[in-house]
Amino acid sequence: MAMLGPRQLATLAVLLLPALAQVPNFHGCIDPVAKALPYCDASLPVDKRLDDLLSRLSLLEKVAQITPQGDLGDECTTFTRGKAEIGLPEWAWLVETNTNVASACPQEGRCATTFVGPMGLGAAFNRTLWRLKGTVFGNEMRALSNIGGSRFNIGNKARIGLTAYGPNINLARDPRFGRSSELPGEDPLLSGTYAYEMVSGMQEKDS
């Protein structure tokens, strides 16, 4: 199966966006109501913007921002509620990023890059490789979000956002544990270094 690299997927996003005529999944500060409010004013300090946003939410609405809302979708994916009155969109928290950006293929045979399992990568003891894995994930998550990508099948409500659940760095303490293949290994230093490099790659700034 042909796989899209990060540059190819980003190019696909650029090509598809005009046709889709949409903003990225869950993108805030697009709604005219939101644009008129201080929390969307990029010239203000972040603290001021947050203060304004929080002042517009009741206690229950704040809780709904961090609690799965079953009426919006399955609770494992963790959909949280927006607030239309202030232009705040809903959000889906769970995008798994352990061996790939868990997503539907945007086109037949054109899918997110899948890496060897974390235990195999951990055994490489290669920090450059771990960081590059994160770079690929960060680029592909952004591209999938930009083109309206979904987790399970095209058009599914569980769309790709920008909160990545990975890497999993629990320690592999017992070989009988069925999900040990999701972990880089049993050593805390190795697991911590693996996580640092991968997350650093995912959070790279645009060049």
Side-chain angles (χ1 to χ4, degrees), residues 37-77:
L37 298 175
Y39 83 85
C40 284
D41 184 350
S43 69
L44 295 176
V46 172
D47 287 351
K48 295 286 187 186
R49 296 175 68 186
L50 286 173
D51 287 343
D52 178 74
L53 175 59
L54 292 175
S55 73
R56 299 175 188 278
L57 300 173
S58 68
L59 178 59
L60 288 178
E61 288 167 341
K62 290 172 185 174
V63 171
Q65 297 296 309
I66 58 173
T67 309
Q69 304 295 303
D71 61 313
L72 298 179
D74 71 274
E75 294 190 0
C76 179
T77 302

Side-chain angles (χ1 to χ4, degrees), residues 139-159:
N139 288 338
E140 292 186 350
M141 280 189 77
R142 178 69 67 179
L144 286 162
S145 172
N146 285 349
I147 64 172
S150 300
R151 286 194 65 206
F152 304 114
N153 49 64
I154 294 174
N156 187 281
K157 187 173 182 180
R159 294 169 292 163

Side-chain angles (χ1 to χ4, degrees), residues 120-180:
L121 283 182
F125 297 96
N126 187 325
R127 289 176 294 183
T128 302
L129 175 61
W130 302 338
R131 183 171 290 240
L132 287 173
K133 176 185 177 182
T135 298
V136 170
F137 280 11
N139 288 338
E140 292 186 350
M141 280 189 77
R142 178 69 67 179
L144 286 162
S145 172
N146 285 349
I147 64 172
S150 300
R151 286 194 65 206
F152 304 114
N153 49 64
I154 294 174
N156 187 281
K157 187 173 182 180
R159 294 169 292 163
I160 299 296
L162 297 177
T163 44
Y165 277 47
N168 183 345
I169 56 168
N170 291 325
L171 298 181
R173 298 182 182 277
D174 188 329
R176 296 170 295 180
F177 178 49
R179 302 185 75 168
S180 288

